[in-house]
Amino acid sequence: MPPSAELDSAWTALDHAAEAEREATIRDHFAADADRVGRLTLEAAGLTLDLSKQTFGRAGLEALLGLARAARVQDRRAALFGGEAINATEGRAVLHPALRAADGADYAALGEPVSREVEQTRRAVADYAEAVRDGTITGSDGRRIRALVHIGIGGSDLGPRLVWEALKPLEPAIDLRFVANIDDGDMAEALTGLDPAETLVVVVSKTFTTQETLANAERAKAWLEAGLKGGDVRPHLVGVTAAPERAEAFGCGRTFGFRDWVGGRYSLWSAVSLSCVIGLGAEVFDRMLAGAAAMDDHFRTAPLEANAPVMLALAQVWNVDAKGRRARTVAPYAHRLRRLPAFLQQLEMESNGKRVRRDGGVATRGTCPVVFGEPGTNGQHAFFQQIHQGPEVVPAEFVVVRKGEDGRDQPALWANALAQAQALMIGKSGAEARAELIAAGAEDAEADRLAPHKTFPGDRPSTTILMDALTPETLGSLLALYEHKTFVEGVIWDINSFDQWGVELGKVLAKAILKDVEAGAPSEGLDSSTRALLGWLTR
Ligand code: F6P
């Protein structure tokens, strides 16, 4: 059978399985399969995934695995690790795994070896970071560097910011601050209380053309110039970019590079995390790379049904394509992972938030749902009302860390995470709600009136991801898990997960509107709504 016919029939099989299992609840699936928990619990690179509370049964799972095979997930995975031009609209390889491979690997992008250069940059970043940490590298007047201002946006911000929040010491030796927004309030807040003589400004931009980052870099440079009072600014400005000539022209005294085969939202494993390497130390960062490399090995070698990224992706495909769920919430039950939802929003929605297939035809299935979240337990007291009782079913993902800050157990945190997943699954029927009201002393009429409000439909899916402790290794493994999951979804939905044309139009129009503001008049043909809004802002 040609691949496309095989794929069509795999989608048809999925539709049939969904139809066959339409009436079955999650609890029915447990009743029909004594080993459901065992079969749907996976171990991968220090993580444990429990997918048993998803809504597919045996037939659904078989159909999903058939779909993965028909979509050639294994071949596409080989193309990714083989450095082929899988980002076809930009003619680029996608090789972030090369960034975290142990020394001695031999990755190649479009046939060009890359691993030696990766190792050299990794060493240069580590050496520079250690020299800042031990005071060998100083500010221009010889004073020790005590603060870093990391400027970047999107992939040049979200990964490093998450890594820092996840792993930073309680009392960091280096005061690391992040600035992303073009709103000057972001920079003003970041610079408050800092001494330019003791501060490094790290400008991170793959392209070194991003409007927000360049505007913030100019602001920071002006702040350094004013504060250093004639001292040399260059040692205080560091660039991280795939366009080193632009960083040098801007005035960076030191520049670290990476290549165009590193996508922005997949770049945290590169010199993009320089600030974190300085703040945490190279040894900690290397441990994070090792955790991600362990997940790469798992993804590359585990059979589909035991492969954590593949199975997580298949659960999402089931929810989107078999069940029509257009959103998913992620709740990390770990304060230190509070930036995970924001990171995943870019990773998943910038990668797979698309409506055309790789061949340009309109996608008839999928694609990426809206991803949102908050750390547990905070989210429980906000939008979880809707997750439990709202009209739309929103699949949930719970990331639970066993050990707390000082290595102690956190039973209250665990109990909350498990209770949410359990409540979503079991719900509470109208009859149960009514019986509870009667037992609590309500009259019949009162019980009838209140019972609908206290009813939970249940049968709402969730996945739980467990880790023993949040370490550099488990963090690396978790983030690589999500990267590969996103890739597998893109393969199954047949979209290019590695371009982001959808962000371009707004950038172009923002430049045009800014010109209008500078010219003092709206341009010909500006639509009347935008013209009116601009009139209000410039009045
Ligand atoms: O706006 C989208 C985007 O292009 C992201 O893909 C990227 O991570 C971000 O902007 C920042 O880009 P750069 O690193 O080139 O400044």
Side-chain angles (χ1 to χ4, degrees):
M1 212 190 302
S4 59
E6 192 184 334
L7 193 55
D8 285 349
S9 83
W11 277 114
T12 305
L14 186 79
D15 292 339
H16 287 159
E19 185 52 32
E21 292 185 346
R22 196 156 56 90
E23 301 298 329
T25 65
I26 305 170
R27 289 206 274 180
D28 291 337
H29 293 314
F30 276 108
D33 179 0
D35 190 32
R36 182 171 170 88
V37 174
R39 281 191 315 106
L40 291 175
T41 299
L42 313 178
E43 300 290 336
L47 307 180
T48 300
L49 278 73
D50 174 12
L51 290 136
S52 65
K53 292 195 189 76
Q54 287 293 335
T55 57
F56 49 78
R58 276 178 185 274
L61 179 58
E62 272 317 305
L64 286 166
L65 290 165
L67 186 59
R69 282 188 288 270
R72 306 282 190 266
V73 165
Q74 288 116 315
D75 293 350
R76 303 285 300 153
R77 178 180 63 191
L80 180 143
F81 283 94
E84 292 176 30
I86 63 168
N87 175 359
T89 59
E90 297 178 305
R92 290 176 183 165
V94 178
L95 260 189
H96 45 277
L99 298 167
R100 55 224 188 186
D103 283 1
D106 58 354
Y107 281 93
L110 313 182
E112 288 293 315
V114 300
S115 293
R116 296 297 78 72
E117 184 181 288
V118 166
E119 289 162 16
Q120 277 161 16
T121 306
R122 199 148 65 195
R123 263 194 300 278
V125 166
D127 290 348
Y128 181 82
E130 288 309 317
V132 173
R133 285 165 66 82
D134 69 16
T136 314
I137 286 180
T138 64
S140 52
D141 70 357
R143 279 153 70 185
R144 208 181 169 106
I145 297 300
R146 300 193 190 282
L148 299 179
V149 177
H150 174 116
I151 298 174
I153 197 163
S156 295
D157 166 72
L158 292 160
R161 204 189 278 252
L162 161 60
V163 169
W164 179 245
E165 295 299 339
L167 301 178
K168 74 179 179 192
L170 287 176
E171 292 181 29
I174 298 264
D175 186 353
L176 171 49
R177 303 182 182 190
F178 290 86
V179 180
N181 203 325
I182 199 163
D183 179 340
D184 61 10
D186 199 359
M187 180 62 79
E189 193 176 297
L191 296 182
T192 297
L194 298 188
D195 181 343
E198 299 181 341
T199 303
L200 274 188
V201 172
V202 183
V203 184
V204 184
S205 175
K206 179 175 173 183
T207 55
F208 227 83
T209 59
T210 303
Q211 187 194 36
E212 294 91 330
T213 299
L214 294 189
N216 280 323
E218 289 292 355
R219 286 170 181 153
K221 188 157 105 174
W223 174 79
L224 287 171
E225 281 163 355
L228 296 178
K229 300 187 177 71
D232 190 3
V233 168
R234 291 178 72 85
H236 293 262
L237 277 175
V238 186
V240 180
T241 180
E245 63 298 337
R246 293 198 189 120
E248 278 145 28
F250 174 75
C252 292
R254 185 74 195 262
T255 299
F256 296 91
F258 58 103
R259 296 288 180 171
D260 69 2
W261 45 260
V262 182
R265 53 193 173 275
Y266 299 86
S267 65
L268 73 99
W269 320 99
S270 72
V272 161
S273 288
L274 172 70
S275 313
C276 295
V277 185
I278 299 173
L280 300 169
E283 186 258 343
V284 172
F285 191 71
D286 285 349
R287 288 172 53 201
M288 191 183 81
L289 298 184
M295 183 56 75
D296 291 340
D297 283 347
H298 167 86
F299 177 51
R300 255 212 285 211
T301 55
L304 295 181
E305 66 281 4
N307 195 305
V310 171
M311 289 294 287
L312 206 51
L314 292 179
Q316 172 117 310
V317 169
W318 177 262
N319 284 320
V320 169
D321 290 293
K323 295 289 185 178
R325 313 302 182 213
R326 296 300 313 152
R328 171 171 129 263
T329 190
V330 179
Y333 275 67
H335 174 70
R336 281 181 172 273
L337 288 177
R338 62 194 175 281
R339 296 292 304 175
L340 183 66
F343 173 82
L344 293 180
Q345 280 172 352
Q346 188 200 21
L347 177 64
E348 299 192 23
M349 294 166 78
E350 196 170 71
S351 295
N352 290 340
K354 292 162 190 173
R355 41 173 278 294
V356 295
R357 295 188 310 253
R358 282 189 298 150
D359 66 4
V362 174
T364 50
R365 314 292 305 217
T367 56
C368 186
V370 170
V371 182
F372 68 101
E374 272 288 306
T377 59
N378 309 13
Q380 292 174 204
H381 301 274
F383 58 85
F384 268 59
Q385 163 63 40
Q386 174 161 355
I387 310 288
H388 286 290
Q389 285 188 316
E392 289 94 22
V393 174
V394 179
E397 212 154 270
F398 300 98
V399 180
V400 183
V401 181
R402 188 150 82 106
K403 302 280 188 204
E405 197 61 47
D406 49 8
R408 263 184 298 175
D409 289 346
Q410 299 223 75
L413 190 69
W414 308 337
N416 272 281
L418 299 190
Q420 292 303 315
Q422 187 188 26
L424 287 169
M425 176 175 69
I426 65 177
K428 187 186 286 182
S429 69
E432 286 169 322
R434 190 176 186 286
E436 276 180 12
L437 285 158
I438 297 285
E443 299 294 331
D444 278 357
E446 186 68 352
D448 287 342
R449 186 175 75 79
L450 289 178
H453 299 277
K454 297 187 170 230
T455 298
F456 291 69
D459 200 36
R460 300 197 161 193
S462 69
T463 294
T464 301
I465 300 175
L466 302 163
M467 66 178 82
D468 193 51
L470 183 62
T471 63
E473 289 85 355
T474 52
L475 178 67
S477 169
L478 181 72
L479 301 184
L481 166 75
Y482 278 117
E483 286 181 347
H484 293 317
K485 162 201 178 279
T486 303
F487 167 71
V488 173
E489 288 162 5
V491 171
I492 291 176
W493 290 324
D494 194 22
I495 53 183
N496 178 2
S497 301
F498 300 106
D499 59 13
Q500 57 284 320
W501 301 106
V503 301
E504 292 306 320
L505 181 59
K507 288 185 193 172
V508 171
L509 296 182
K511 278 193 188 136
I513 292 173
L514 190 54
K515 262 200 188 143
D516 286 359
V517 175
E518 282 158 7
S523 57
E524 280 296 309
L526 192 66
D527 68 87
S528 53
S529 169
T530 308
R531 178 182 292 265
L533 293 168
L534 192 57
W536 190 93
L537 287 163
T538 55
R539 73 191 191 281

